[in-house]
Amino acid sequence: MSEARPRVHRGPRLGLRGTRSSAPHWHPPHLLSPAFPPARQPSVTHSTPKEPKPEPMPLPLPHRGRGSRVAGSRVASTSLPRATAHSPRRASRGAPSSSHAQRLTRRRHSSEQVPPGPEPQADFRSGKWLQERAGGDARDSRQAARAEMGSRHRICSQEEVVIPCASDNDSGSVDLQLSNLENIKKDPSSLELTDSDISDIAGLSRESLTESFRHLTQKGPLSEAVVERLIQSIQEVFDGELQSELEKLTFLRSLSSLSRTLPYDETTESFIHSHIADIVRILNMLVEEEPVHSLFSSMHQEVFVTITDLSYQDVHLLFGSEDRADLFSLITKSIITLPSVTALIQLQEIMPSGTYNTECLYRQTFQAFSEMLQSFVVKDPHLENLDTIFKQMDPWLQSTKDHERARATASMAQVLKCLSRHLSLKLPLRFQKLGHLVALMALLCGDPVKDVAEEAAEGTHYLLHITLRLKCISYDKKNHPSLRRAMKKCRELLELYNIKRFYSCPFKIAQVFEVFLNSNELCQFVMTTLDSLENLKHPCTQQSAGELLVTLVKNAESRFEKVPEIMGVICARLSIISQPRVRQQIINTVSLFISRPKYTDIVISHLLCHPVPYDRHLAELWRTLEVELSSTTWILWRLLRKLQKCHNAPTQEKMAYVAVAATDALYEVFVGNRLQAATFRLFPQLLMTLLIQIHHSVGLTMSDVAIPSGLYAEQEMSSEVTPLCFAMQATKTLLLRTLCWQEFNIMEKNKGWTLLEGKECHLQGVSLLANALLERNHLLAHKVMYLLVPLLNRGNDKHKLTSAGFFVELLQSPVARRLPSIYSLVRLKDWLHHGNSVFKFLALRGLRYLIKHQEMREGIKSLLPCIVDLLRETDEKIVLLAIQILLQLVETMDFTTLTAMMKTLFSLFGDVRPDVHRFSMTLFGASVKSVKYTDKKGVENQVLDSLVPLLLYSQDENDAVAEESRQVLRICAQFLKWKLPQEVYCKDPWYISPSEAGAVCTFFGKKCQGKVNLLAQTLMFSKNAKLPIRRAAVLFVGLLLKHMDHSELKMKGTDWIKNDLRDLLSDPEPSLRIIASRALFRVHKIGAEPDPRQSGLRTLMGYLPT
């Protein structure tokens, strides 16, 4: 709550000669009298009078006042001891009133008293505002201007200091009270710009600086002798040392007195400019010698006043070089870091300091410091000095100590107020930290310390007007429409808010300033606000920062630069934000950035450059993204594309880190389920991309990933963390979040997840999942199928294989027949000729599904020659699939294809792969059955040649093969119109049923006589790898020898039979050796029998005459 303004008596007006600044005859005390001038001592008393009374005028000081300072003098009204007020007199009633620039240096220790009576003033305290008078006479206007220029200094809440700094003739100075903003609201036309009024916008008039400084040189000049003495005394200090406090103060006052001769004395000008380095050195020494944690003298105050006096003569001791900058930093630190007023008072009680009242001395010292800063910006057309001041005050504005922050804020507010009154901008502008300053002031408006917030509100008020002027100057003529739009938006925003509450709401401040900030300034604003999140002492500062960020990013849309840097700071700050609301605001800021198409990829790329698995803070960010429904699909799609691009790239030696990070990010998004609608919409793409990522990740560890250098510098990667685990957990979570619970259950029961993780069985897992999806959710399955149609030939081999594996399973769906042949049969045909056998397998699998659709069969017939050729493949799965397809098409084959296929199938009889052996016989039997009557002669020999193999394989140890052999043998017999004896169907081995074997042998011996060389065919199987087949063959040979025509056998010879049988005598199987020896015995026996032809000849010869 603001306190009432005290009634202060104005002292009797003195003539101009009664002031310190108008005493040309005055000389420094060390030149005239050893006595220290009473006025040079701080006017401090221990007792506080109940009513202020006029004090006697002190002795004149050397050029110690040309008018009130920028902030004016401050009158204390409190029960605490306070400084006595002194009032400099005017020269005469008829003399021209001093300009504002003169008033800036009129007072040093004394305060100009304010005439009693109500004064309209903007009161930023506790939300209370005094009404601005709408009209009145010139006197009222002057009083309003005077009160308006005065801002109360609130370092201590128990005492209020008012600093009037307007005189009777400054009614033309810039009116920067809130009434201006009210006028903006009432008169929107004032915001319309033209070329003629671009320098005068929103009621921002300027007083002439030339006029302001014109009176500085109108005082009586010092005599040459006095100037010489002053120079000599100052030179002695340069050459010697300052011992006592009196010498130090004398030096400072002499230097200040000398400064007023600069406008007209070349000697002084040459002396001061040539000794600036010495002056800076001495001032630096004086400040350093002062105690750091106490305030017992006016030394700081005198240093500030001296710098101020020189500043008004364009001699800047704190700008232009490194040593000057160091001095600026030192004196700023010396005043800002003083202990709080309470601590200083307590220190005085412990260590009494004579006549000084510590609180009043502190206020006067701080006032001098504030006036010094303001003097720098009175003439600052390029804002170079403002830039330097802000650099010095910046760290203190963010101090964690309340009293330091309060001092810095009060000082900065006064600087901005002074600058707004004396704006005379010229290009180029050197102040490039507008966004940083706006953010700091907005944050301070929400400061938990009431005085800080009020000072910041006042400073922000003037900063808005400075910003308006600055933008009018800096905007190009080409950008006039843009500026008009910004002004219009500013006006509309101000119309929405109650102006009296405007500055107490940081987010509203952000809305209004945002329209004027360029991209670089916006970035400054955001970075500054993010830095404030480190303020753990005041939670409300974090809250203000969160509101500011969300408001600014929401309104600024796509005008930001350095978004990666912003994201980096946000990610770094998340770990220190403990308030849930603030955390969500920061995450909402990321959400706003990521939802802007311009920044989506930038934000995602940055977030993917963090270690995986993500820590709990980044995981929370991914899980709690708050974006509009219309943006969810876009964001999820861009994240998905990051992963897909890794799959489309050529196979690298190591997996890209982005692929692993994007997979983990997808998992976190699925867990959070904030993008649920987009997840359903993009389910086909998400599922296939994750399955492909699983394929790429099989068998890899994190050492097989191209991890950016330095990413895991401070932590070790667990061996349990692998690219595959991220892909698997993301896939499982996707199914659960899209309500595919039954599909998930099928995968779990059939060990589908294990299959997916296997290197050799990955495609089996893919097929299982595809079938589960087709069975339980055919709508999603169809969406996946249509997605895959254009994607099957994209990416690397693993990408294509996974896509193809899923696609071919979906061809079972009736919807598949709607696909154009170019996307089905043509593609499958290409895969049949692919060099990779897996593609051949997938092609055959797809053809097997398509055959079920009658309308697809005609197209598949053209592929029969290719399919028949695949019977010679070494891959068992390919051969079996080819046989399955051919079984369904055998009845539609032409004769040429059929005979070619039968020859190939005959070569597969006895294949070491049991299933190939069995199904090749099955297909052979089906082929025999499908032969047309007219083509029987053409295949009869093939059928006859197959009898012995089929007969022998009926003895196979594999019951399925033996049974199939008997069935096909029956089909062949029917083809030949034979009736097989029942012994053929006996399942007992021949060697234990000799009689049955003899019957079979007799039957085939008679039927095949003259058609097939049964003995030769059978002997070929005597070398078969399978014992039952070898044994059956040798037994069959022995039986054939028994029933064959011996004469015919002798004519052909038996040596080739003997040789094969002798080899079997060394077989490790005893039963085979026995059977072979019996067969060999029969061969020898046949050889021992007489040749019938030879015995007949002998008989004939016996009948011949001798």
Side-chain angles (χ1 to χ4, degrees):
M1 298 296 291
S2 62
E3 299 178 6
R5 183 184 299 277
R7 295 178 58 87
V8 181
H9 297 285
R10 293 182 64 88
R13 295 181 178 272
L14 301 178
L16 184 61
R17 295 181 183 274
T19 65
R20 293 171 295 166
S21 59
S22 59
H25 60 279
W26 184 89
H27 302 291
H30 70 284
L31 299 177
L32 300 180
S33 170
F36 189 83
R40 300 301 290 173
Q41 300 178 9
S43 302
V44 182
T45 61
H46 283 290
S47 62
T48 304
K50 296 182 179 179
E51 235 180 82
K53 296 182 179 180
E55 297 287 342
M57 191 66 190
L59 292 179
L61 297 177
H63 187 57
R64 299 314 261 180
R66 305 184 189 88
S68 66
R69 297 283 170 242
V70 174
S73 61
R74 300 179 182 254
V75 178
S77 174
T78 181
S79 60
L80 297 174
R82 61 181 176 85
T84 57
H86 308 283
S87 177
R89 300 289 304 274
R90 297 175 186 268
S92 67
R93 292 184 183 275
S97 59
S98 59
S99 67
H100 186 66
Q102 289 173 288
R103 295 192 303 276
L104 292 173
T105 54
R106 182 183 299 157
R107 182 196 50 79
R108 297 300 286 254
H109 298 294
S110 60
S111 301
E112 181 179 355
Q113 296 177 350
V114 183
E119 298 177 3
Q121 176 184 347
D123 190 351
F124 287 82
R125 295 160 186 76
S126 306
K128 290 192 174 182
W129 302 73
L130 300 178
Q131 296 296 326
E132 185 79 42
R133 296 182 59 174
D137 55 16
R139 183 175 181 277
D140 295 334
S141 300
R142 288 192 294 271
Q143 289 178 345
R146 171 176 299 176
E148 174 265 332
M149 288 292 286
S151 174
R152 300 185 179 184
H153 183 32
R154 303 171 208 84
I155 294 303
C156 178
S157 62
Q158 293 180 328
E159 181 173 0
E160 210 168 343
V161 183
V162 180
I163 312 166
C165 55
S167 65
D168 294 341
N169 73 331
D170 74 343
S171 59
S173 63
V174 185
D175 178 16
L176 297 180
Q177 293 299 345
L178 288 177
S179 58
N180 281 49
L181 297 184
E182 297 287 359
N183 291 337
I184 292 175
K185 295 169 67 175
K186 296 175 182 178
D187 184 15
S189 62
S190 64
L191 293 177
E192 295 300 324
L193 301 177
T194 63
D195 291 338
S196 62
D197 64 6
I198 190 170
S199 62
D200 188 12
I201 184 171
L204 298 180
S205 60
R206 302 187 306 278
E207 68 177 17
S208 171
L209 289 176
T210 303
E211 181 66 20
S212 299
F213 285 92
R214 183 168 56 84
H215 300 286
L216 290 177
T217 60
Q218 291 180 357
K219 306 296 180 180
L222 297 177
S223 65
E224 292 184 5
V226 173
V227 172
E228 287 293 331
R229 291 190 188 97
L230 290 172
I231 292 176
Q232 183 179 358
S233 67
I234 294 171
Q235 183 63 55
E236 290 175 358
V237 173
F238 293 158
D239 298 335
E241 294 183 0
L242 292 172
Q243 300 293 337
S244 66
E245 182 176 355
L246 177 60
E247 291 178 353
K248 297 176 183 178
L249 295 176
T250 301
F251 166 76
L252 293 172
R253 292 165 184 170
S254 298
L255 185 60
S256 184
S257 297
L258 188 62
S259 69
R260 73 180 291 259
T261 67
L262 280 168
Y264 57 84
D265 193 304
E266 294 182 357
T267 302
T268 300
E269 181 180 9
S270 174
F271 175 77
I272 289 182
H273 283 89
S274 63
H275 290 83
I276 287 180
D278 293 322
I279 296 172
V280 170
R281 175 177 56 82
I282 297 298
L283 294 180
N284 194 82
M285 178 192 68
L286 293 178
V287 176
E288 286 183 338
E289 289 178 352
E290 288 297 301
V292 178
H293 301 296
S294 62
L295 186 65
F296 294 140
S297 75
S298 61
M299 187 61 63
H300 282 99
Q301 180 180 349
E302 293 297 334
V303 170
F304 300 152
V305 172
T306 300
I307 294 173
T308 302
D309 287 340
L310 287 168
S311 175
Y312 283 120
Q313 300 299 337
D314 293 329
V315 177
H316 298 294
L317 300 180
L318 305 183
F319 306 98
S321 65
E322 185 176 351
D323 57 338
R324 300 184 199 183
D326 292 341
L327 176 58
F328 197 173
S329 177
L330 177 63
I331 63 176
T332 302
K333 182 179 179 180
S334 69
I335 187 67
I336 298 294
T337 59
L338 282 174
S340 64
V341 176
T342 303
L344 288 174
I345 294 174
Q346 293 174 350
L347 184 62
Q348 184 185 25
E349 295 174 354
I350 299 173
M351 302 172 61
S353 56
T355 60
Y356 288 110
N357 181 297
T358 300
E359 182 177 5
C360 293
L361 178 60
Y362 161 75
R363 294 188 182 284
Q364 292 171 350
T365 303
F366 185 80
Q367 175 59 34
F369 172 75
S370 180
E371 291 174 4
M372 178 193 73
L373 295 180
Q374 294 170 66
S375 70
F376 298 151
V377 297
V378 171
K379 289 193 299 182
D380 192 17
H382 301 291
L383 300 183
E384 290 177 292
N385 294 347
L386 175 64
D387 186 67
T388 304
I389 293 171
F390 183 51
K391 286 180 182 177
Q392 295 295 335
M393 302 304 296
D394 185 10
W396 306 114
L397 290 169
Q398 303 178 68
S399 174
T400 57
K401 297 181 179 179
D402 293 344
H403 64 278
E404 293 180 353
R405 197 168 61 257
R407 290 166 184 162
T409 305
S411 301
M412 201 67 208
Q414 291 303 312
V415 169
L416 294 173
K417 178 177 181 179
C418 179
L419 178 61
S420 69
R421 295 176 178 278
H422 297 280
L423 275 179
S424 181
L425 299 177
K426 295 180 182 178
L427 296 176
L429 298 176
R430 305 298 185 188
F431 184 63
Q432 303 297 328
K433 295 185 177 180
L434 179 60
H436 184 34
L437 177 56
V438 172
L440 276 182
M441 298 305 291
L443 286 166
L444 290 169
C445 285
D447 197 275
V449 179
K450 177 182 173 183
D451 290 342
V452 175
E454 291 170 352
E455 289 286 0
E458 184 173 355
T460 305
H461 167 67
Y462 295 109
L463 180 57
L464 176 58
H465 289 271
I466 295 170
T467 302
L468 292 173
R469 174 63 62 183
L470 187 149
K471 293 301 177 180
C472 291
I473 295 297
S474 59
Y475 266 69
D476 296 332
K477 291 185 177 180
K478 296 180 180 179
N479 292 329
H480 275 189
S482 175
L483 181 57
R484 284 195 181 93
R485 288 192 296 271
M487 299 296 286
K488 180 180 179 182
K489 185 176 180 181
C490 176
R491 181 186 68 237
E492 293 172 349
L493 289 170
L494 291 175
E495 289 174 350
L496 291 175
Y497 303 134
N498 181 348
I499 201 67
K500 297 179 181 180
R501 297 290 183 183
F502 172 69
Y503 292 104
S504 62
C505 299
F507 76 92
K508 294 180 181 179
I509 295 174
Q511 276 186 295
V512 173
F513 275 95
E514 172 270 324
V515 301
F516 299 108
L517 301 182
N518 59 34
S519 58
N520 185 50
E521 292 163 348
L522 287 171
C523 183
Q524 292 176 9
F525 190 108
V526 171
M527 298 298 277
T528 302
T529 308
L530 288 172
D531 289 339
S532 69
L533 294 172
E534 293 182 336
N535 191 341
L536 304 179
K537 182 179 179 181
H538 298 300
C540 62
T541 301
Q542 288 192 348
Q543 294 176 7
S544 297
E547 292 178 357
L548 282 173
L549 281 174
V550 173
T551 302
L552 190 74
V553 176
K554 184 181 296 183
N555 288 275
E557 296 181 347
S558 301
R559 295 191 291 118
F560 288 93
E561 293 179 354
K562 301 180 181 179
V563 174
E565 289 84 350
I566 294 174
M567 290 300 105
V569 176
I570 287 177
C571 294
R573 297 291 184 272
L574 274 176
S575 60
I576 63 176
I577 304 173
S578 57
Q579 300 181 67
R581 181 183 175 187
V582 179
R583 288 181 68 85
Q584 191 56 52
Q585 287 173 332
I586 301 304
I587 293 173
N588 288 348
T589 301
V590 178
S591 302
L592 288 171
F593 272 116
I594 203 172
S595 62
R596 299 277 191 270
K598 179 179 179 180
Y599 305 127
T600 303
D601 286 344
I602 298 174
V603 175
I604 290 175
S605 296
H606 180 83
L607 294 179
L608 295 182
C609 292
H610 288 78
V612 292
Y614 295 120
D615 59 32
R616 65 184 183 88
H617 306 292
L618 273 177
E620 179 188 3
L621 192 155
W622 282 115
R623 294 180 184 186
T624 57
L625 286 175
E626 288 284 354
V627 294
E628 297 178 357
L629 183 62
S630 58
S631 301
T632 56
T633 302
W634 166 252
I635 295 170
L636 193 57
W637 169 247
R638 296 313 302 168
L639 176 58
L640 182 63
R641 284 295 297 155
K642 292 289 184 182
L643 181 55
Q644 290 177 341
K645 287 180 180 179
C646 299
H647 299 161
N648 293 334
T651 303
Q652 302 292 330
E653 183 178 351
K654 288 192 172 184
M655 176 180 287
Y657 180 78
V658 173
V660 182
T663 306
D664 194 22
L666 286 171
Y667 164 72
E668 299 295 348
V669 169
F670 297 153
V671 171
N673 210 28
R674 294 294 182 92
L675 309 183
Q676 185 179 28
T679 304
F680 275 100
R681 190 174 294 114
L682 296 176
F683 175 82
Q685 294 92 330
L686 290 167
L687 179 62
M688 291 312 307
T689 304
L690 290 174
L691 289 175
I692 292 168
Q693 176 63 16
I694 291 175
H695 198 171
H696 280 85
S697 304
V698 171
L700 298 184
T701 63
M702 290 303 292
S703 61
D704 300 311
V705 178
I707 300 175
S709 59
L711 192 60
Y712 290 91
E714 299 179 358
Q715 62 185 90
E716 295 183 1
M717 176 63 66
S718 171
S719 59
E720 297 180 359
V721 176
T722 64
L724 183 60
C725 73
F726 292 119
M728 290 298 297
Q729 70 179 6
T731 305
K732 293 178 181 180
T733 310
L734 173 64
L735 291 178
L736 295 175
R737 284 304 189 191
T738 51
L739 309 182
C740 296
W741 299 320
Q742 295 183 0
E743 294 85 341
F744 185 93
N745 185 51
I746 291 173
M747 290 291 291
E748 202 165 63
K749 283 187 174 181
N750 294 277
K751 299 183 179 179
W753 304 123
T754 304
L755 292 174
L756 280 176
E757 294 175 349
K759 190 172 184 178
E760 301 298 331
C761 54
H762 170 75
L763 287 180
Q764 296 180 39
V766 171
S767 299
L768 179 62
L769 180 56
N771 280 285
L773 192 65
L774 187 61
E775 177 185 351
R776 300 296 182 179
N777 201 330
H778 61 276
L779 291 179
L780 281 179
H782 294 160
K783 289 182 180 180
V784 176
M785 181 174 65
Y786 286 122
L787 165 74
L788 290 172
V789 165
L791 300 179
L792 289 174
N793 288 332
R794 297 183 186 178
N796 53 34
D797 284 347
K798 291 183 178 180
H799 183 293
K800 293 176 181 177
L801 282 173
T802 303
S803 301
F806 207 98
F807 176 75
V808 297
E809 297 303 320
L810 300 180
L811 293 178
Q812 302 175 72
S813 171
V815 178
R817 60 190 176 190
R818 302 177 189 171
L819 293 175
S821 61
I822 190 173
Y823 297 128
S824 53
L825 289 177
V826 174
R827 183 157 288 159
L828 295 178
K829 179 181 179 181
D830 293 339
W831 292 349
L832 288 175
H833 297 91
H834 200 282
N836 191 333
S837 61
V838 179
F839 279 102
K840 295 178 181 178
F841 168 76
L842 294 175
L844 291 171
R845 195 173 180 88
L847 290 173
R848 186 185 67 175
Y849 294 141
L850 290 179
I851 287 177
K852 299 176 182 178
H853 310 305
Q854 292 297 325
E855 56 271 28
M856 306 291 288
R857 287 185 171 239
E858 286 299 321
I860 298 176
K861 282 183 181 180
S862 62
L863 303 179
L864 283 174
C866 298
I867 299 173
V868 171
D869 291 340
L870 293 177
L871 294 174
R872 300 186 179 92
E873 285 286 330
T874 57
D875 191 330
E876 180 180 3
K877 294 184 293 184
I878 294 177
V879 176
L880 293 177
L881 273 176
I883 292 174
Q884 291 178 30
I885 295 170
L886 292 172
L887 279 171
Q888 299 183 59
L889 297 174
V890 67
E891 295 181 358
T892 62
M893 290 183 185
D894 60 87
F895 181 72
T896 303
T897 305
L898 185 65
T899 54
M901 182 182 70
M902 291 176 69
K903 289 180 180 179
T904 304
L905 292 172
F906 182 75
S907 65
L908 296 177
F909 288 3
D911 194 279
V912 294
R913 298 163 294 186
D915 289 338
V916 173
H917 181 185
R918 174 190 171 190
F919 289 108
S920 63
M921 293 189 296
T922 302
L923 180 57
F924 185 86
S927 302
V928 172
K929 290 175 66 175
S930 65
V931 175
K932 297 178 181 178
Y933 179 79
T934 55
D935 298 326
K936 283 189 175 183
K937 289 293 183 182
V939 297
E940 184 176 355
N941 290 333
Q942 291 188 40
V943 174
L944 289 172
D945 290 339
S946 67
L947 295 176
V948 171
L950 291 172
L951 186 60
L952 293 177
Y953 284 123
S954 66
Q955 299 298 304
D956 196 279
E957 58 187 355
N958 187 317
D959 293 340
V961 171
E963 182 62 28
E964 192 64 33
S965 298
R966 288 190 283 268
Q967 295 299 326
V968 176
L969 189 60
R970 180 180 58 81
I971 294 172
C972 291
Q974 290 177 353
F975 176 84
L976 297 171
K977 297 181 179 180
W978 295 353
K979 185 178 181 180
L980 294 177
Q982 288 300 318
E983 289 79 1
V984 172
Y985 304 106
C986 181
K987 296 181 180 181
D988 294 331
W990 286 349
Y991 71 94
I992 63 174
S993 304
S995 59
E996 296 176 354
V1000 172
C1001 184
T1002 302
F1003 175 82
F1004 279 96
K1006 293 179 179 179
K1007 291 291 184 179
C1008 295
Q1009 189 173 6
K1011 300 177 181 179
V1012 181
N1013 190 344
L1014 293 178
L1015 188 60
Q1017 262 191 318
T1018 306
L1019 276 175
M1020 291 176 60
F1021 286 91
S1022 64
K1023 300 176 182 179
N1024 194 280
K1026 293 183 177 182
L1027 173 62
I1029 306 302
R1030 294 200 308 274
R1031 189 161 50 199
V1034 174
L1035 180 61
F1036 198 72
V1037 167
L1039 294 173
L1040 284 175
L1041 291 174
K1042 183 177 180 181
H1043 298 286
M1044 283 185 65
D1045 185 357
H1046 293 180
S1047 59
E1048 181 180 354
L1049 186 59
K1050 281 186 175 183
M1051 290 177 60
K1052 295 180 178 179
T1054 59
D1055 291 340
W1056 57 280
I1057 301 175
K1058 292 177 182 178
N1059 293 334
D1060 290 341
L1061 292 175
R1062 286 194 186 101
D1063 294 338
L1064 295 174
L1065 293 178
S1066 58
D1067 193 277
E1069 174 57 36
S1071 60
L1072 181 59
R1073 293 200 299 269
I1074 293 173
I1075 296 173
S1077 63
R1078 289 177 181 176
L1080 186 60
F1081 174 77
R1082 287 196 178 98
V1083 174
H1084 284 297
K1085 186 176 179 181
I1086 293 173
E1089 292 179 356
D1091 189 343
R1093 291 175 299 175
Q1094 291 182 359
S1095 60
L1097 180 59
R1098 290 193 187 98
T1099 303
L1100 179 60
M1101 291 297 292
Y1103 287 110
L1104 290 176
T1106 56

